[in-house]
Amino acid sequence: MMPDYLITWIHLAAAIALIGGLIFSQFVLAPAARDTATDSRSREVVRRAGRRFRTVAWVSLIILILTGAYQMLNESGSARIETAWGVVLMLKLFLFAIAFGLLLIHDFIIDPYAPSSQDTSPSASSPTVPARADTLQKAAIVMTLAVLLVASYLAKI
Ligand code: HEM
């Protein structure tokens, strides 16, 4: 079908969009939101930015899974658990599953950018929601960077 390098390119572009967006959200957008916490219009911008990034993140995750699965099916047998390469790939998928779960909880269960959680006065929404969302997002950044580390190792063995 498509040449392998194009699949790898799409896989890497999706990883960059996901990890870059998470880091931007955690270290740029969220601190800016805290600086302007009393300004309801800037809170609304942050909320909408969070909503939009959620779409980008989940499209990236789906692309990562599809292109990752394609690469697994196309690399003639070394993904078997009997090889060292296969074991390291399993570790990568295990770490990815954790990152995936963290993002699922962050985006769809806690859902810090839901219309109701910030358009009322800050005290009306539970104060633990932003703190928990913040911790989950930090954990997701660590896990996706760990996936990237294992993937880099994998590329060299
Ligand atoms: C945060 C998520 C992910 C990141 C950061 C990531 C990163 C990478 C990187 C950097 C490569 C190396 C490209 C190369 O040098 O050849 C790669 C390759 C690969 N990834 Fe991922 N990946 C992610 C998710 C996934 C998922 C979900 C799967 C499986 C469903 C997957 C399966 C693969 C496979 C099979 C390869 C090809 C390895 C090879 O043939 O050398 N990846 N990934």
Side-chain angles (χ1 to χ4, degrees):
M1 204 182 80
M2 252 198 267
D4 284 354
Y5 72 90
L6 279 183
I7 300 291
T8 303
W9 175 62
I10 296 169
H11 194 71
L12 294 179
I16 290 165
L18 176 67
I19 300 175
L22 285 172
I23 289 174
F24 178 82
S25 167
Q26 179 72 43
F27 297 110
V28 180
L29 191 60
R34 281 192 288 271
D35 290 347
T36 55
T38 52
D39 177 347
S40 68
R41 272 204 300 181
S42 85
R43 273 212 317 273
E44 180 60 14
V45 171
V46 168
R47 197 186 67 73
R48 286 173 188 235
R51 272 281 136 133
R52 282 173 182 270
F53 176 62
R54 184 169 82 161
T55 306
V56 172
W58 285 90
V59 169
S60 301
L61 284 164
I62 289 164
I63 291 174
L64 279 166
I65 292 169
L66 294 179
T67 51
Y70 179 90
Q71 292 181 98
M72 271 172 76
L73 295 174
N74 274 278
E75 55 69 59
S76 59
S78 54
R80 286 171 311 134
I81 199 88
E82 290 84 23
T83 65
W85 197 89
V87 172
V88 178
L89 181 66
M90 285 304 130
L91 175 64
K92 178 183 162 181
L93 294 185
F94 177 70
L95 296 173
F96 177 81
I98 297 174
F100 189 91
L102 292 169
L103 290 171
L104 201 72
I105 297 169
H106 178 277
D107 286 352
F108 298 108
I109 297 178
I110 294 189
D111 196 0
Y113 306 115
S116 61
S117 80
Q118 289 197 0
D119 59 2
T120 51
S121 77
S123 58
S125 66
S126 161
T128 61
V129 166
R132 251 192 267 154
D134 187 71
T135 306
L136 271 167
Q137 195 174 60
K138 283 191 177 122
I141 291 172
V142 170
M143 292 313 297
T144 50
L145 287 176
V147 173
L148 186 60
L149 178 67
V150 175
S152 308
Y153 180 78
L154 206 55
K156 300 292 173 193
I157 60 171

